[in-house]
Amino acid sequence: MPRQLHLNAFLMNTGHHEASWRLPESDPYAHVELDHYIRLARIAERGTFDSLFLADGPQLWGNIAQRPAGALEPLTLLTALATATQHIGLIATASTSYNSPYNLARKFASPDIISGGRAGWNIVTTAGAEAARNFGLDAEPAHAERYARAAEFLDVALKLWDSWEDDAIVADKAAGVWGDDSKIHPPRHKGTYFSVEGALNVPRSPQGYPLLVQAGSSEDGKAFAARYAEAVFTAQQTLADAQAFYADLKSRTKATGRDPEHIKVLPGIVPVIGSTEAEARANEQVLEDHIVHRHGVANLERLLQLPGRTLELDGQLPSDLPPEDAIEGAKSRYTLIVELARRERLTVRQLIGRLGGGRGHLTFAGTPEQVADAIETWFTQGAADGFNIMPAVLPSGLETFVDQVVPILRARGLLRTEYGSRRTLRERYGLPRPANQHVTTTPALASV
Ligand SMILES: Cc1cc2nc3c(=O)[nH]c(=O)nc-3n(C[C@H](O)[C@H](O)[C@H](O)COP(=O)(O)O)c2cc1C
């Protein structure tokens, strides 16, 4: 089987562009409408995407004057979408800093069962003091501590998902034996952050556990991904940076004793498509013209940790910004934005324009062929195993991508034309079903 792209549809209310909700075509209330998401899921399924993805944080994100805010809880929404779709994977974000492993392991095992093995977990440590203050803390835990807690969280969650062997249910009516107690393995975990005694209260799910996805690109983030993640979402602005990230992550994964093929790297891309290059650029300009710059300035001042200082809209970023080491929030995104501004000598106004589409993810305006070329280049030049497709405007941007770019990728043999016999999300990503840590052989999926 030739290597093929993995595509994930990163869904965000009316689109990733911060001004998308202001376009005449957009419904500013769509962010909490189930029908909107069902429509998006079905378009992505028509494009034979591997999965859908929803971001999340346990706080009201951003500035509600700027764009639609507040969202449906991702696991709840994805479970509803599981019943409206047949094939596509369903990846929900949940934080290891503001959840406990027992509850969360159960919450992910349930949709994996309901969807027939299509659930995935985007594991995040959650940057920012706003979330911390919603959970009895005055400030966010230090970056290194958030990742230390994340590692123990995963160890406990894996013990919980493995606490049922695949064949623990025997349902022997004649003998009057429903389950085999010898196949239940309580974690009896006592660690730094968690104590968890008993087995999970959900049987083992079709995939064993959800696909494990990670989305932080700092040193600690990459170390964590190399150990646990099966797919990684990342923001990369240049081919060279993406190649360096890809090579680094694959070699770190190998160093942990894992097969580097078993971690799929998916950079984000915000495609803005037009039938000519000029039309694509004009579409991009329409979006940029709808940006309200005062919101962008406030966002940048917060992200760059500049309390009490005002950024000049037509000036450059200050030269005395703190180094990444001094950042306790989202380290890799901080560095990406500062490097982007400095590399291209952008004014604050231009930087806000560049971030408006994808908050640091690569925005690419072009014809369907040019978008397909960019995707093919990154895929074949060691920068990506696939992409997080982040349409600037939804649903139209996803529809255009599926109707106009997907056929080109298929014609080039880079993308599947149908889902075929692979049923689970992990199978779609070409990954093996994980073994249960308590058994030496993994039963075939069919016997689960
Ligand atoms: C595609 C993508 C999606 C992300 N989604 C979320 C999210 O939903 N919630 C969240 O708290 N962080 C999210 N993040 C941010 C990271 O998980 C992480 O918090 C951030 O990149 C900082 O990690 P780092 O310090 O290791 O770079 C996302 C990052 C990427 C690249």
Side-chain angles (χ1 to χ4, degrees):
M1 179 91 177
R3 184 170 168 257
Q4 287 194 316
L5 283 161
H6 298 288
L7 296 185
N8 175 56
F10 182 172
L11 306 184
M12 183 164 285
N13 51 63
T14 52
H16 282 270
H17 198 284
E18 65 181 56
S20 57
W21 69 276
R22 299 185 66 200
L23 299 187
E25 71 178 72
S26 294
D27 170 6
Y29 302 97
H31 65 309
V32 286
E33 282 169 7
L34 179 59
D35 285 348
H36 174 67
Y37 290 97
I38 290 178
R39 180 169 170 199
L40 296 175
R42 289 183 174 155
I43 297 169
E45 203 164 58
R46 181 155 59 75
T48 53
F49 277 49
D50 293 57
S51 44
L52 301 175
F53 159 60
L54 297 169
D56 195 51
Q59 76 266 33
L60 181 57
W61 261 342
N63 167 0
I64 92 157
Q66 184 183 16
R67 63 176 303 167
L72 297 171
E73 191 283 311
L75 275 168
T76 312
L77 175 54
L78 289 179
T79 304
L81 295 182
T83 66
T85 53
Q86 282 185 298
H87 306 284
I88 199 157
L90 308 155
I91 302 175
T93 299
S95 172
T96 52
S97 300
Y98 305 112
N99 278 296
S100 67
Y102 197 95
N103 280 339
L104 203 64
R106 182 185 195 199
K107 286 184 185 169
F108 273 100
S110 302
D112 200 46
I113 293 172
I114 290 168
S115 65
R118 295 189 279 140
W121 174 20
N122 177 38
I123 306 159
V124 298
T125 56
T126 311
E130 293 91 342
R133 292 195 200 108
N134 292 340
F135 293 85
L137 302 174
D138 294 330
E140 65 182 323
H143 190 268
E145 186 175 342
R146 295 204 305 276
Y147 273 106
R149 179 181 160 111
E152 191 181 327
F153 197 116
L154 260 286
D155 290 339
V156 179
L158 290 167
K159 286 181 191 176
L160 285 162
W161 288 316
D162 285 347
S163 67
W164 288 64
E165 290 187 34
D166 285 304
D167 49 1
I169 302 173
V170 289
D172 186 340
K173 289 185 179 175
V177 177
W178 185 81
D180 178 350
D181 201 39
S182 73
K183 304 212 171 204
I184 298 292
H185 305 278
R188 300 204 172 90
H189 175 90
K190 278 202 192 314
T192 310
Y193 300 98
F194 307 107
S195 285
V196 178
E197 173 68 18
L200 200 63
N201 54 357
V202 189
R204 195 158 157 91
S205 67
Q207 294 191 101
Y209 46 85
L211 180 79
L212 302 179
V213 184
Q214 194 270 354
S217 301
S218 62
E219 289 300 301
D220 286 339
K222 285 187 282 192
F224 178 88
R227 211 167 128 197
Y228 298 103
E230 297 166 283
V232 169
F233 296 154
T234 181
Q236 302 291 333
Q237 279 287 327
T238 66
L239 177 62
D241 284 353
Q243 286 168 325
F245 178 82
Y246 186 95
D248 184 22
L249 201 59
K250 296 278 175 171
S251 83
R252 284 174 191 252
T253 303
K254 198 165 175 211
T256 68
R258 295 177 59 206
D259 182 344
E261 287 292 308
H262 292 173
I263 184 164
K264 305 296 181 190
V265 179
L266 308 182
I269 181 169
V270 183
V272 181
I273 299 168
S275 56
T276 60
E277 199 178 321
E279 189 182 295
R281 295 217 177 280
N283 291 341
E284 191 175 37
Q285 192 59 47
V286 168
L287 285 161
E288 216 167 308
D289 290 346
H290 282 83
I291 288 179
V292 179
H293 285 92
R294 68 172 184 281
H295 298 316
V297 170
N299 290 344
L300 267 183
E301 286 169 354
R302 195 174 48 242
L303 188 106
L304 300 175
Q305 303 194 353
L306 299 169
R309 289 171 69 174
T310 316
L311 288 171
E312 193 56 49
L313 203 48
D314 291 307
Q316 309 241 325
L317 292 187
S319 55
D320 59 344
L321 291 173
E324 183 182 293
D325 283 352
I327 301 297
E328 286 301 334
K331 283 181 186 276
S332 57
R333 195 62 62 88
Y334 171 83
T335 299
L336 179 145
I337 290 170
V338 173
E339 283 180 357
L340 169 67
R342 294 208 169 129
R343 188 174 55 243
E344 301 192 22
R345 303 193 54 74
L346 301 176
T347 62
V348 167
R349 186 191 300 276
Q350 290 168 324
L351 181 60
I352 288 169
R354 290 289 290 275
L355 298 177
R359 305 169 303 284
H361 290 269
L362 180 69
T363 300
F364 189 93
T367 63
E369 285 75 18
Q370 287 172 323
V371 173
D373 289 348
I375 286 176
E376 182 169 4
T377 301
W378 282 43
F379 181 59
T380 54
Q381 304 293 312
D385 294 310
F387 283 86
N388 229 346
I389 304 298
M390 304 169 54
V393 186
L394 286 168
S396 63
L398 187 61
E399 212 146 37
T400 309
F401 185 90
V402 167
D403 291 340
Q404 298 182 23
V405 181
V406 161
I408 299 172
L409 298 173
R410 284 180 178 156
R412 294 182 188 179
L414 296 170
L415 185 68
R416 64 172 74 88
T417 54
E418 55 178 20
Y419 282 108
S421 58
R422 296 181 175 197
R423 280 195 302 137
T424 69
L425 176 56
R426 213 174 247 109
E427 288 174 299
R428 299 259 146 72
Y429 274 96
L431 299 163
R433 185 170 190 265
N436 187 314
Q437 57 194 281
H438 301 289
V439 282
T440 44
T441 54
T442 312
L445 187 66
S447 68
V448 175

